[in-house]
Amino acid sequence: MSNLAQHLLDTAERHGDHPALRMDDASLTYAEFRDAASRVAAGLQARGVEPGDRVGMVLPNVLSFPVVFYGALLAGAVVVPMNPLLKAREIEYYLTDSGARLVVAVEPSAQPAAEAAGTVGIEAVTVGAALPEELMGPAGEVTAPVERADGDTAVILYTSGTTGKPKGAELTHAGLTSNARTTEETLLEAGPDDVIMGCLPLFHVFGLTCSLNAGVMAGSCLTLIPRFDGSKALSVVQRDRVTVFEGVPTMFSAMLHAPDRDDHDVSSLRLCVSGGSAMPVEVMRSFEETFGCIVLEGYGLSETSPVASFNHPHAERKPGTIGTPIRGVELRLVDDEGRDVAPGEVGEIAIRGENVMKGYWQRPEDTAQAIPDGWFRSGDLARVDEDGYYAIVDRKKEMIIRGGYNVYPREIEEALYEHPAVAEVACIGIAHPDLGEEVAVAVALKPGASADPDELREFVKARVAAYKYPRHVWLVDALPKGPTGKILRRAVEVPAGVGAR
């Protein structure tokens, strides 16, 4: 029996009266979670959803998300999670591309979801945030999951599509199960006494696997925050005695810079996990010092379910690296022809293992390009040291080539994060008539801090090679971020007049 939803039934059997989900004052025990998900499965079946049919979900981190997600899996459906901030025409693309049978949304996404569904000609169901009652059928009708094979698709996750339209990564029941199991057993080492902070979006693979699915397997409680805020996160850690915090680097920064950060008791925290983008070493050091807990950084992608490598809890931890491959996964560094690079050289991370996607939904050419020889090409450039620890130097696509020299944005950002006034940085390449590209940075300062662009430029100049330092520096109130809080370099706006000289 390979259905991912079986883990919910198993945990409910063992820990039925244990708290499973919480969102402020609303909560569900594992037995209540199972019963509600079973009723969602019955409701979907009554609406004509059959095994293998795609069900769209446009939900933030509210209690209804896990209930609808597991309910759809119990019914044998394939879940297509979407960012609740999407507009109607974006939702329409996902529904059309996936061939969805039905879409489920919660306010305020209900209007765009209904509009998109109307255009596509499918049903949209609007549900409440605390319980998806509008989708729930009678109790007792679905008592076991619909049988699924290991290689059957459980989730189609659309990747952000830096090149063209988003592509749907097909993640299987077996792949998601093994990745959640490895996360739970070897990284989180979680159990029924743990409380996991659910501030990573569940519609994104990091939150889905590492908070929800791993938490369900462990029998832990997941406490949800629908919209992330540093102060709110700290108050939830104190209120619910959170033991495991998982976030992207900007979330760690937000908690670190929260004006009331010293007013909260966060002594319950035993482990923090960072992923999604590279954690600046300075942010990690300050966070550990301020909150008295360790941060383990790891790496993965939507296409790898997501976890591929990690700084493991009982091994040497190397800040600034993404650790070593997890159980069941292999990593190597390759050149453009797919050959191994020489020791110490930068190469593209290639990944093989039980976590790798089946392929891109209905895109055989893209799949063949991404997995030409059984190894998934990540598009990320890294080095590996003599101990087998990998360190990302950058995205292949975001590397700046200035006058024939490679400049990795991450290195410039790391240097700027050492400046006491700097909160967030994005380093980008802008066109230059002679050099091809010039290095430029947008900087957001910490609240109440001050620094001028010339000062920041000189600060970096003192820390990196002459060809690398940014000739263009400008200040912004905030940097553009993706749905998970990751800074989007490609969305940074260059002020008029910059780069023209």
Side-chain angles (χ1 to χ4, degrees), residues 43-120:
L44 289 170
Q45 288 170 347
R47 285 175 157 85
V49 172
E50 294 180 3
D53 280 353
R54 274 75 60 207
V55 172
M57 282 178 63
V58 196
L59 303 176
N61 282 19
V62 293
L63 294 186
S64 281
F65 187 111
V67 174
V68 173
F69 178 78
Y70 275 91
L73 292 178
L74 285 170
V78 176
V79 182
V80 184
M82 290 172 242
N83 184 338
L85 300 176
L86 294 176
K87 301 286 190 279
R89 66 176 198 77
E90 296 166 310
I91 296 172
E92 186 188 321
Y93 169 77
Y94 292 114
L95 297 178
T96 306
D97 191 74
S98 66
R101 179 70 186 260
L102 176 111
V103 61
V104 185
V106 66
E107 296 292 359
S109 309
Q111 183 56 44
E115 195 182 313
T119 310
V120 179

Side-chain angles (χ1 to χ4, degrees), residues 287-447:
F287 192 92
E288 293 186 335
E289 228 168 66
T290 306
F291 297 117
C293 63
I294 65 156
V295 178
L296 298 180
E297 184 171 11
Y299 167 77
L301 307 100
S302 298
E303 292 90 340
T304 59
S305 305
V307 188
S309 71
F310 240 92
N311 279 279
H312 290 64
H314 302 294
E316 182 192 354
R317 197 168 53 104
K318 296 192 179 185
T321 76
I322 53 166
T324 56
I326 63 163
R327 185 176 75 192
V329 176
E330 299 170 87
L331 262 60
R332 52 192 270 253
L333 299 179
V334 299
D335 62 18
D336 291 344
E337 276 70 55
R339 296 182 300 247
D340 289 322
V341 301
E345 291 293 305
V346 172
E348 181 178 2
I349 297 178
I351 303 165
R352 182 168 72 177
E354 51 200 24
N355 59 332
V356 174
M357 66 171 178
K358 191 155 87 177
Y360 291 116
W361 170 255
Q362 295 184 333
R363 289 171 189 254
E365 298 83 7
D366 287 329
T367 302
Q369 201 179 341
I371 318 174
D373 48 9
W375 290 82
F376 172 73
R377 298 294 196 274
S378 66
D380 287 311
L381 300 175
R383 282 193 183 87
V384 59
D385 70 13
E386 62 283 358
D387 301 322
Y389 283 68
Y390 287 76
I392 301 268
V393 291
D394 235 307
R395 286 288 299 164
K396 201 172 172 180
K397 300 185 188 77
E398 292 179 342
M399 184 173 73
I400 300 163
I401 303 179
R402 180 184 185 273
Y405 288 100
N406 293 347
V407 180
Y408 299 111
R410 165 113 200 254
E411 186 182 353
I412 309 307
E413 290 166 358
E414 287 280 6
L416 268 164
Y417 275 116
E418 291 173 18
H419 191 288
V422 169
E424 292 178 346
V425 190
C427 175
I428 58 171
I430 57 177
H432 188 281
D434 305 320
L435 299 167
E437 283 181 294
E438 187 54 277
V439 183
V441 291
V443 179
L445 300 178
K446 292 175 183 170

Side-chain angles (χ1 to χ4, degrees), residues 463-486:
R463 284 163 175 75
V464 301
Y467 71 85
K468 293 181 184 177
Y469 81 88
R471 271 45 174 196
H472 305 289
V473 179
W474 63 92
L475 300 177
V476 293
D477 292 334
L479 288 166
K481 298 187 181 72
T484 53
K486 185 172 163 179

Side-chain angles (χ1 to χ4, degrees), residues 4-9 11-12 14 19-22 28-30 33-34 37 57 59-73 79 81 154-155 157 176-177 179-185 188 190-191 194-225 244-247 273 305-307:
L4 179 63
Q6 182 64 45
H7 303 290
L8 172 58
L9 306 191
T11 297
R14 291 194 306 271
L21 303 167
R22 176 164 186 188
L28 293 174
T29 64
Y30 270 100
F33 181 7
R34 173 200 58 204
M57 282 178 63
L59 303 176
N61 282 19
V62 293
L63 294 186
S64 281
F65 187 111
V67 174
V68 173
F69 178 78
Y70 275 91
L73 292 178
V79 182
V155 176
L157 273 183
L176 285 165
T177 293
N179 208 244
R181 171 82 64 217
T182 299
T183 298
E184 175 237 335
E185 291 177 354
L188 306 182
D194 278 296
V195 178
I196 299 173
M197 170 79 96
C199 51
L200 284 166
L202 297 178
F203 61 81
H204 186 268
V205 68
F206 185 8
L208 188 66
T209 292
C210 302
S211 347
L212 178 58
N213 295 341
V216 165
M217 284 181 182
S220 308
C221 176
L222 180 65
T223 182
L224 296 167
I225 300 183
V244 178
F245 174 77
E246 301 174 358
V273 171
S305 305
V307 188

